[in-house]
């Protein structure tokens, strides 16, 4: 019975935004890992999972860690973020991107997004980098976030950063399996990271990974992820490291998920296509990043212009909530977060408008079927009432 694995579905009829999609294939590999005796943050499944993710995204090297946030922390340390440096971060992101910068002692500088895609607005970048330079700030990195699974505009972003001599860290926490101009998300920066949290496109319940072509960078990150223990029999530590390694048991879960990734992406895409069809004829609405054929469609967000549509994104959210269906606005921008106020931010208002006027709809790969029919039926009902 696959159902008993799916986010508590049998107990309630609640439909979640992006529930985990796990079943017998995952169970088999997890049990096998436990029986192998490798119940530790080391083992053959972890080694294999790293190789398989690296191969899948076309990167030479990978290291598995306990979360996407831990991966970001190590990636930023690896490119030299630390006290006295700044890191440019899109303001429209999950808070982990900004938090990881502060863990290193660096200061995040927020930059607004392109209203069409929600990804970092590359037009703002050259002036910002110049400005930071003129003020004598050391820029450790630009973090590009692949929002909702759609890759940032790397054809324009990479040359700007290369010209300024600033490394790119790719936060592809949401974008495993996405492509952009024939290359996989995670492979565009000097280092890329993935999250395997329970709500991401695939999960290890919690987990993350760094990928890079730079084997030295990955071995430095690997060392820091294991308390920076020196390769000697006694416990020797020349640096302060972290306990960030991924469990071998969870890596086994990840290996089963990775084998099913293409199917899960197809089903998320099917959900997006259903929504696109429903909203195609509704004035004042658009699907964020619609038409991006390479996106893994992790989340589908609808942007609503109330003046044209005659209703607000929030109204649809309330209608669905009344029927026990989860939705949420896009991320509240970092420059509005109490934890990150008073930071330098270059804002155009685009992220604020997306936050105020968007709704992320149930997008999970477990949905297609009766749950999708129920959500789409309720959306249709709402639209008829607001026509
Ligand atoms: C989920 C997410 C993270 C953090 O990943 P965790 O595994 O939850 O620590 C970082 N950045 C973005 C953009 C995310 O969506």
């Amino acid at each position: 019975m696959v159902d008993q694995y799916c986010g508590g579905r049998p107990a309630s009829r609640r439909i979640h935004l992006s529930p985990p999609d796990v079943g017998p294939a995952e169970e088999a590999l997890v049990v096998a890992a436990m029986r192998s005796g490798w119940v530790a943050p080391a083992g053959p499944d972890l080694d294999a999972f790293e190789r398989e993710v690296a191969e899948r995204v076309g990167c030479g090297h990978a290291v598995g860690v306990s979360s996407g946030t831990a991966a970001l922390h190590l990636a930023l340390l690896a490119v030299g973020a630390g006290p006295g440096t700044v890191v440019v971060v899109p303001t429209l992101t999950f808070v982990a991107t900004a938090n990881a910068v502060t863990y290193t002692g660096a200061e995040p500088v927020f930059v607004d997004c392109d209203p069409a895609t929600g990804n970092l607005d590359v037009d703002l970048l050259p002036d910002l980098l110049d400005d930071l330079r003129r003020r004598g700030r050391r820029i450790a990195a630009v973090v590009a976030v692949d929002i909702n699974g759609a890759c940032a505009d790397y054809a324009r972003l990479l040359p700007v950063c290369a010209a300024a001599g600033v490394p790119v860290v790719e936060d592809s926490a949401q974008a495993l399996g996405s492509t952009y101009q024939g290359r996989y998300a995670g492979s565009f920066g000097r280092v890329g990271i993935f999250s395997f949290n329970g709500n991401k496109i695939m999960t290890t319940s919690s987990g993350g990974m760094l990928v890079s072509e730079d084997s030295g960078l990955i071995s430095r990150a690997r060392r820091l992820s294991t308390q920076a223990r020196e390769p000697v029999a006694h416990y020797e530590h020349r640096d302060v490291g972290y306990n960030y390694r991924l469990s071998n048991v969870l890596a086994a879960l990840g290996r089963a998920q990775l084998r099913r990734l293409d199917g899960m992406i197809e089903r998320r895409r099917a959900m997006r296509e259903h929504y696109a069809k429903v909203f195609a004829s509704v004035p004042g609405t658009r699907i964020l990043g619609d038409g991006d054929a390479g996106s893994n469609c992790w989340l589908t967000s609808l942007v609503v212009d109330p003046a044209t549509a005659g209703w607000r994104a929030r109204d649809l959210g309330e209608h669905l909530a009344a029927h026990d269906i989860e939705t949420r606005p896009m991320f509240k921008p970092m420059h509005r977060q109490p934890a990150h106020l008073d930071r330098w931010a270059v804002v155009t208002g685009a992220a604020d408008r997306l936050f105020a006027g968007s709704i992320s709809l149930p997008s999970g790969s477990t949905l297609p079927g009766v749950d999708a029919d129920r959500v789409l039926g309720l959306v249709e009902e709402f639209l008829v009432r607001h026509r």
Side-chain angles (χ1 to χ4, degrees):
M1 269 279 285
V2 176
D3 251 14
Q4 75 200 60
Y5 297 96
C6 295
R9 277 164 64 221
S12 79
R13 291 290 295 135
R14 182 158 172 79
I15 294 178
H16 293 274
L17 194 67
S18 180
D21 179 353
V22 296
E26 286 74 13
E27 180 176 321
L29 288 208
V30 166
V31 169
M34 287 171 65
R35 289 184 180 154
S36 78
W38 289 96
V39 184
D45 282 299
L46 180 51
D47 297 341
F49 186 41
E50 288 173 347
R51 274 198 312 276
E52 288 162 4
V53 170
E55 259 167 43
R56 169 75 206 223
V57 304
C59 272
H61 310 275
V63 57
V65 293
S66 53
S67 71
T69 309
L72 270 171
H73 185 191
L74 295 180
L76 289 160
L77 289 172
V79 299
T85 69
V86 296
V87 174
V88 176
V89 172
T91 192
L92 188 72
T93 185
F94 178 55
V95 73
T97 320
N99 286 355
V101 172
T102 64
Y103 299 165
T104 70
E107 188 188 321
V109 171
F110 299 124
V111 63
D112 219 322
C113 65
D114 176 338
T117 63
N119 278 321
L120 190 148
D121 185 345
V122 181
D123 288 339
L124 302 174
L125 210 47
D127 282 353
L128 173 60
L129 296 178
D130 273 354
D131 203 8
L132 288 165
R133 277 274 155 69
R134 270 201 309 276
R135 292 166 195 247
R137 307 305 301 270
R138 265 178 45 227
I139 311 164
V142 169
V143 181
V145 176
D146 302 324
I147 206 85
N148 282 7
C151 282
D153 188 1
Y154 291 108
R156 294 173 59 234
L157 186 142
L158 294 176
V160 169
C161 293
V166 176
V168 172
V169 171
E170 185 179 355
D171 181 349
S172 28
Q174 305 172 359
L176 182 67
S178 298
T179 59
Y180 173 88
Q181 298 186 354
R183 270 170 65 188
Y184 277 103
S187 71
F188 290 96
R190 181 164 309 165
V191 51
I193 72 98
F194 298 111
S195 164
F196 309 126
N197 200 339
N199 65 352
K200 293 304 201 301
I201 189 103
M202 68 166 239
T203 187
T204 60
S205 72
S206 179
M209 198 167 286
L210 289 88
V211 293
S212 180
E213 278 305 314
D214 182 342
S215 64
L217 183 154
I218 291 296
S219 37
R220 289 197 304 282
R222 187 186 301 278
R223 182 172 161 278
L224 282 180
S225 75
T226 51
Q227 305 282 23
R229 192 175 157 190
E230 297 299 328
V232 291
H234 64 278
Y235 281 58
E236 173 92 0
H237 308 268
R238 289 185 205 141
D239 297 296
V240 175
Y242 305 89
N243 181 10
Y244 276 174
R245 203 75 168 106
L246 182 64
S247 155
N248 187 68
V249 176
L250 299 185
L253 172 47
R255 293 184 73 193
Q257 288 265 282
L258 191 61
R259 290 174 198 169
R260 297 179 48 231
L261 178 63
D262 287 327
M264 293 195 289
I265 291 175
E266 261 170 50
R267 288 196 295 283
R268 294 219 183 218
R269 179 172 306 288
M271 277 313 293
R272 179 164 303 183
E273 281 164 6
H274 284 310
Y275 289 128
K277 216 156 135 198
V278 169
F279 288 104
S281 56
V282 181
T285 66
R286 68 183 171 96
I287 284 168
L288 190 80
D290 202 15
D292 182 340
S295 171
N296 66 4
C297 300
W298 174 59
L299 284 189
T300 295
S301 301
L302 182 77
V303 186
V304 182
D305 171 14
T308 311
W311 49 275
R312 299 163 305 172
R314 195 183 325 150
D315 300 327
L316 175 58
E318 281 165 11
H319 178 70
L320 294 175
H323 293 86
D324 218 8
I325 293 171
E326 184 189 18
T327 64
R328 62 164 167 77
M330 292 196 72
F331 297 111
K332 182 172 180 179
M334 291 304 110
H335 69 274
R336 300 281 179 204
Q337 294 289 353
H340 290 288
L341 288 178
D342 305 326
R343 309 264 189 213
W344 191 348
V346 178
V347 293
T348 59
D352 284 335
R353 282 191 294 275
L354 283 176
F355 173 58
S358 70
I359 178 173
S360 295
L361 297 163
S363 306
S365 47
T366 58
L367 256 71
V370 282
D371 283 352
D373 292 346
R374 193 170 138 224
V375 175
L376 293 163
L378 287 163
V379 169
E380 299 269 21
E381 184 185 295
F382 173 89
L383 291 173
V384 167
R385 225 183 272 171
H386 288 78
R387 196 168 281 154

